Amino acid sequence: MENDAMLTTSPSTLENKPTGLKLFFTRLVQQRMLVLMSIPFVIWLIIFKYVPIWGWTIAFQDYQPGLKFSEQKWVGFKHFKILFTDETFSEQFLRAVRNTLAMSGINLILGFVTAITLALLLNEVKKMAFKRVVQTVSYLPHFISWVVAAGIIQTTLAPDGIINELLKWIGVIDKGQEYLFLGKAEWFWGIFGASSVWKDIGWNAIVYLAAISSIDPAQYEAAEMDGAGRLRRMWSITLPGIKPVIIVLLIMNIGYLMESGFEPQYLLGNGMNVDYSENIDIFVLKYGLQQFNFPLATAAGMFKTVVSFILLFAANNVAKRMGQDRLF
């Protein structure tokens, strides 16, 4: 009888639940403190991220700084065509796109592999004092600005720097000789990748360590009782446990493939390695601010943003089709 009563009353209870806009405003009132806390961030987002989108109109104009908006000459996709077809600009722009994708890909692969590996290894460390020291040392470079980091890298890789001295000491090069690391254009991508790993490996590993801490310890105990070693526990328990976090971060990072950075390329780049160090951001700076070609620079920046959106949605859709965790 009690079960029958529950069955008869449950439909009316469901009907009384708010839906649609009523449910939205109900939750808004319930979570009003979170909404109030998010208002400053929303204001910042609108002012610094959405309002500047108005400047994209410059890409479709022969923009003249002294003229009003209504007096500008509209030229359609002229500047986009120049980026890809003009002999003067297309070669440099396509080279910048190549460098951007190459450095982003290197950073993506190395960043994921090294951060996950460090998190797995730290999870196996039993001495907490040693674990804390390693964590502190590994994520400390993240808080160093790229200006300081670039100075350290340049000093380390200088002809009289520690790397050349070490190579002489182990006999790789003869005394009186040295490598000009930042003078070899084809070496720049590797230097950038190694520098990014050194600077961000500890910081990136924090997310995976947090995900590992949520795994039920009983799974490790059961696997150990079954005779599974450390490598087997890593492969069968830890990696599957953090798989959703890995996939979500991978999707987000694929959306940033057109964002290889600005500071390291600008600070470590020079005339000898410009063919491999100049990315889209530096291309925009060079033609937008240094040569005052605002429409061309805006078109290049707009192209980068549109491609980033396409990559993000494509990666999310692939994850959805594969039945994996996704952003939306």
Side-chain angles (χ1 to χ4, degrees), residues 5 28 34 49 53 59 89 139 166 196 205-206 280 282 293 321:
L28 195 67
L34 293 176
K49 297 297 181 180
I53 293 178
F89 300 104
Y139 71 64
L166 181 62
S196 298
I206 292 175
I280 296 178
I282 295 178
N293 195 337
R321 290 179 179 275

Side-chain angles (χ1 to χ4, degrees), residues 164-183:
N164 272 300
E165 293 298 324
L166 181 62
L167 293 176
K168 292 176 185 178
W169 182 68
I170 62 178
V172 174
I173 58 176
D174 298 329
K175 291 184 178 180
Q177 296 180 340
E178 56 272 325
Y179 285 122
L180 191 60
F181 289 97
L182 292 174

Side-chain angles (χ1 to χ4, degrees), residues 276-314:
Y276 285 79
S277 64
E278 183 180 288
N279 61 2
I280 296 178
D281 289 330
I282 295 178
F283 179 90
V284 169
L285 173 68
K286 182 166 71 175
Y287 287 100
L289 296 181
Q290 295 178 356
Q291 299 187 19
F292 301 102
N293 195 337
F294 300 112
L296 191 71
T298 305
M302 189 174 175
F303 167 81
K304 182 186 73 171
T305 303
V306 171
V307 173
S308 296
F309 267 103
I310 294 173
L311 289 172
L312 177 63
F313 281 95

Side-chain angles (χ1 to χ4, degrees), residues 103-119 192-206 208 246 249-250 253:
M103 285 185 279
S104 294
I106 291 170
N107 199 17
L108 176 66
I109 296 170
L110 289 179
F112 263 85
V113 173
T114 55
I116 293 172
T117 302
L118 178 62
F192 166 77
S195 303
S196 298
V197 168
W198 163 71
K199 196 169 187 301
D200 294 323
I201 181 174
W203 184 259
N204 293 336
I206 292 175
Y208 302 110
I246 294 175
L249 290 178
L250 180 61
N253 279 275

Side-chain angles (χ1 to χ4, degrees), residues 39-57:
I39 287 176
F41 171 74
V42 173
I43 294 173
W44 173 88
L45 187 69
I46 293 172
I47 293 175
F48 292 100
K49 297 297 181 180
Y50 287 100
V51 172
I53 293 178
W54 174 259
W56 279 8
T57 57

Side-chain angles (χ1 to χ4, degrees), residues 9-19:
T9 56
S10 58
S12 60
T13 305
L14 291 173
E15 290 178 1
N16 293 331
K17 286 187 177 180
T19 58

Side-chain angles (χ1 to χ4, degrees), residues 117-131:
T117 302
L118 178 62
L120 292 174
L121 294 176
L122 285 175
N123 185 56
E124 296 298 321
V125 175
K126 303 304 179 184
K127 294 184 178 180
M128 294 304 299
F130 178 74
K131 184 176 181 178

